[in-house]
Amino acid sequence: MVSSPTLAEEILELKQRRKAIILAHHYQEAEIQEIADFVGDSLELSRKALEASGDVIAFCGVWFMAETAKVLNPTRIVVVPDKDAGCSLVDSCPAEHIREYKRRNPDHVIVSYINTSVEVKAESDILCTSRNAVKIVNSIPAEKTVLFLPDRNLGNYVKEQTGRENMKIWQGACIVHSTFPVRRLLDAKAAYPEALVIAHPECPLAVLKHADFIGSTSALIDYVAASPAQEFIVMTESGVQYSFERVGPGKTFHYVNNENCNCSECPYMRMNTLEKLRDALETLSPRVELPEDILRRALLPLERMLAVK
Ligand code: 13P
Ligand code: SF4
């Protein structure tokens, strides 16, 4: 009797048939990361999307990341496993509020974190990710007032790192990184005194001040790979465990839970499943479709960001 193909086999067959590339963020379930052609943080995924060949990009992350891939690849089909995989930072910053801010402050430079809707990107002067945010803000002439949006924690961190006074900060927050209780971090430090604390800059400054290393998702992974330390307290989304195990076999990782749950998982990122990925490749939907003028206007700040080395 011939056994029926596994989900992974079905996806690999569809990937060939559709001439597709599968991109996955580090916060995806391990089984999705295993099947992806490339796993990365939001900056790396933007760059990979730009290099993509083939007809289809299947983007396993959240919606704004897939929109970014579409802006960089307007002629390719971009599909996602679940269209409802959103982001609390995107929700905190509606485009009409930014248009109103610009009307009132036409001379301010809008620096938008990549965790924004494509409509907000289209209103922005330049984009950034958690990996390059300090560099991007430093690239803006010192006399210009900056509006940094939408993440208040990343904004506060960048303001501290750059020492920039003329920087206004939108008050959005990530539901995962903004809800790590300092009390639980201090408990973990007491329980594991040998462990180094590594944190994503979307965490509040009250958490970051206890960190031995602060960085974007991929920067944390690189740090774990290079560090002689064997034990870490992790202040970010627990999906990174897959990559930590790959780069630091035998090392130990302790995760601090969010305020209201016994986990540190992004509920949006975890909406994607292998079944939904298979269906997206089969039906070529849900698909990212964006108006011409939005694609054109969002590309400019994205290209400005990618040009900053
Ligand atoms: P990275 O830029 O580190 O991939 O972060 C994206 C994100 O959504 C973190 O919560
Ligand atoms: Fe958005 Fe936070 Fe989820 Fe990242 S972890 S996608 S910032 S809600």
Side-chain angles (χ1 to χ4, degrees):
M1 202 177 77
V2 183
S3 60
S4 48
T6 64
L7 255 181
E9 285 165 347
E10 280 185 73
I11 290 169
L12 292 174
E13 188 276 317
L14 277 164
K15 197 171 83 100
Q16 277 202 324
R17 180 144 55 91
R18 295 294 192 197
K19 296 192 177 60
I21 179 171
I22 300 174
L23 302 180
H25 191 269
H26 289 292
Y27 297 173
Q28 293 295 284
E29 298 288 351
E31 58 193 16
I32 293 182
Q33 296 194 43
E34 260 161 34
I35 212 164
D37 294 292
F38 183 78
V39 178
D41 68 7
S42 49
L43 178 59
E44 292 167 332
L45 291 172
S46 301
R47 291 193 193 280
K48 272 288 161 195
L50 193 57
E51 294 164 14
S53 58
D55 300 336
V56 175
I57 298 172
F59 204 109
C60 302
V62 289
W63 181 253
F64 76 80
M65 296 179 178
E67 282 181 334
T68 308
K70 181 68 183 176
V71 170
L72 291 168
N73 293 272
T75 59
R76 296 207 165 88
I77 294 171
V78 178
V79 294
V80 296
D82 193 320
K83 194 172 193 304
D84 293 330
C87 171
S88 62
L89 284 169
V90 174
D91 296 343
S92 74
C93 190
E96 61 270 24
H97 292 198
I98 305 309
R99 284 192 278 272
E100 176 56 25
Y101 181 95
K102 282 174 66 170
R103 266 191 293 277
R104 283 187 281 110
N105 304 282
D107 54 331
H108 290 187
V109 177
I110 313 276
V111 178
S112 294
Y113 188 28
I114 201 151
N115 297 39
T116 43
S117 69
V118 72
E119 290 80 12
V120 168
K121 289 182 174 74
E123 300 296 335
S124 306
D125 293 295
I126 189 164
L127 306 184
C128 71
T129 71
S130 55
R131 184 173 265 230
N132 61 18
V134 170
K135 210 186 269 185
I136 297 288
V137 169
N138 275 333
S139 77
I140 312 292
E143 70 282 4
K144 294 275 189 191
T145 298
V146 165
L147 170 66
F148 186 93
L149 62 85
D151 187 12
R152 63 170 180 255
N153 292 325
L154 181 60
N156 289 334
Y157 172 70
V158 170
K159 191 167 182 166
E160 193 187 70
Q161 292 293 304
T162 59
R164 192 171 191 122
E165 286 303 322
N166 55 352
M167 180 170 156
K168 299 186 180 302
I169 299 170
W170 201 261
Q171 291 300 303
C174 159
I175 48 168
V176 180
H177 294 90
S178 70
T179 61
F180 287 125
V182 176
R183 165 182 46 81
R184 287 192 184 163
L185 168 58
L186 296 179
D187 289 348
K189 276 173 74 87
Y192 312 110
E194 299 298 314
L196 294 183
V197 178
I198 56 175
H200 193 282
E202 286 175 12
C203 296
L205 286 179
V207 165
L208 296 182
K209 77 172 191 204
H210 297 286
D212 296 289
F213 180 75
I214 299 165
S216 73
T217 314
S218 290
L220 297 181
I221 293 164
D222 293 347
Y223 181 78
V224 162
S227 170
Q230 291 300 309
E231 205 178 352
F232 301 87
I233 296 169
V234 182
M235 306 305 289
T236 192
E237 216 271 4
S238 55
V240 292
Q241 178 68 14
Y242 179 81
S243 300
F244 283 167
E245 279 172 7
R246 186 173 48 79
V247 300
K251 296 190 177 185
T252 306
F253 302 93
H254 307 287
Y255 291 84
V256 171
N257 289 337
N258 291 142
E259 186 67 65
N260 298 317
C261 73
N262 287 323
C263 73
S264 50
E265 291 181 356
C266 171
Y268 303 109
M269 286 277 184
R270 302 313 177 100
M271 291 171 90
N272 297 329
T273 62
L274 277 187
E275 284 85 353
K276 291 179 190 174
L277 173 59
R278 187 247 345 252
D279 294 349
L281 283 166
E282 178 73 59
T283 62
L284 293 183
S285 73
R287 193 185 291 202
V288 183
E289 279 167 313
L290 300 170
E292 254 332 288
D293 72 309
I294 288 286
L295 280 171
R296 188 176 37 76
R297 289 172 56 220
L299 182 60
L300 192 62
L302 194 47
E303 285 182 333
R304 285 191 187 128
M305 172 187 88
L306 293 171
V308 175
K309 295 288 172 218

